[in-house]
Amino acid sequence: AQSVAQPEDQVNVAEGNPLTVKCTYSVSGNPYLFWYVQYPNRGLQFLLKYITGDNLVKGSYGFEAEFNKSQTSFHLKKPSALVSDSALYFCAVRDRRDDKIIFGKGTRLHILP
Amino acid sequence: GAGVSQSPSNKVTEKGKDVELRCDPISGHTALYWYRQSLGQGLEFLIYFQGNSAPDKSGLPSDRFSAERTGGSVSTLTIQRTQQEDSAVYLCASSNRLAGHNEQFFGPGTRLTVL
């Protein structure tokens, strides 16, 4: 069965600094990997996905993530954080053999002005 | 509308009562998912439907929970004899894997409060 770990409940970053939100996964086959963001009092929004090809994936709002097969990681990154990036971020994994998508527990990102 | 819709947006019920939560997926999306979001617990997978295949019910926490999807479209999540620990936001999502769109589109959720 697939699983996702987000080891940090909360990450604090100063505005303008680079940010990283960590995600590791476990899946039997090759994974599809996703990041979603949840702003306060709003639904989950898709940020980016890794399906195949380039290990570095670029997504919405200047975010990117790097698929690392050997480390089974898919960390979310942004070169320069904005206060408006403050939100709850979820990593998710899907085994290519079925449609079940499992989410991590989420990481709350605080960007400090 | 173009997005996933859920109703009701809020539901307050008494312990022991049954509740039904509804999800209208995006038209044409073949896959439909239910998740539960509790404070500090992240997104807990409950069940998913894919086309006419048998649903994957592996995430349902007890036999008080059930879901159906009629006509490959609208889905209803039913919780019988609700308990206080069922209080959470219940999220529905749909996707269209057959069209190559692997990402899910989420509804706004139903906030369930069991008194």
Side-chain angles (χ1 to χ4, degrees):
Chain A
Q2 62 262 56
S3 65
V4 177
Q6 293 182 244
E8 304 150 319
D9 291 336
Q10 183 169 308
V11 171
N12 297 324
V13 177
E15 186 177 25
N17 282 3
L19 69 88
T20 299
V21 183
K22 295 179 181 176
C23 171
T24 58
Y25 66 90
S26 173
V27 68
S28 301
N30 291 317
Y32 290 146
L33 294 157
F34 307 86
W35 277 100
Y36 287 81
V37 59
Q38 187 176 40
Y39 296 103
N41 300 315
R42 293 174 63 179
L44 269 84
Q45 297 176 30
F46 168 76
L47 264 184
L48 51 79
K49 64 183 177 184
Y50 170 80
I51 303 299
T52 188
D54 246 349
N55 289 342
L56 184 64
V57 178
K58 294 188 183 296
S60 306
Y61 311 121
F63 283 94
E64 58 189 30
E66 186 165 11
F67 170 59
N68 187 317
K69 188 171 183 178
S70 62
Q71 296 184 4
T72 61
S73 67
F74 191 57
H75 301 331
L76 181 70
K77 300 183 180 185
K78 187 172 181 179
S80 178
L82 300 173
V83 172
S84 57
D85 293 331
S86 298
L88 186 57
Y89 290 81
F90 290 95
C91 181
V93 66
R94 184 194 138 197
D95 190 316
R96 288 172 190 261
R97 297 172 297 177
D98 64 34
D99 291 298
K100 186 174 176 179
I101 300 178
I102 298 299
F103 283 75
K105 289 195 170 185
T107 298
R108 189 163 298 280
L109 179 63
H110 288 285
I111 307 301
L112 309 170
Chain B
V4 178
S5 60
Q6 292 186 245
S7 60
S9 54
N10 278 285
K11 176 71 177 179
V12 180
T13 190
E14 294 179 347
K15 178 181 171 182
K17 302 275 189 179
D18 298 352
V19 295
E20 285 189 351
L21 312 179
R22 177 187 168 104
C23 172
D24 266 290
I26 293 172
S27 178
H29 277 193
T30 55
L32 186 149
Y33 303 77
W34 283 99
Y35 294 89
R36 178 166 70 175
Q37 185 175 17
S38 306
L39 194 61
Q41 296 299 314
L43 276 171
E44 177 187 5
F45 167 80
L46 297 178
I47 185 171
Y48 87 86
F49 301 85
Q50 172 58 271
N52 296 320
S53 303
D56 181 332
K57 305 178 181 180
S58 60
L60 295 178
S62 78
D63 59 9
R64 296 186 295 106
F65 288 72
S66 62
E68 61 178 22
R69 189 179 185 190
T70 52
S73 180
V74 171
S75 177
T76 302
L77 177 70
T78 301
I79 309 173
Q80 296 178 310
R81 305 180 302 281
T82 51
Q83 304 294 312
Q84 288 182 332
E85 61 262 28
D86 298 336
S87 296
V89 176
Y90 289 81
L91 294 168
C92 176
S94 68
S95 70
N96 192 4
R97 181 171 67 88
L98 297 180
H101 302 150
N102 296 282
E103 64 268 29
Q104 295 165 304
F105 296 82
F106 280 83
T110 294
R111 182 175 296 278
L112 175 66
T113 303
V114 182
L115 302 176

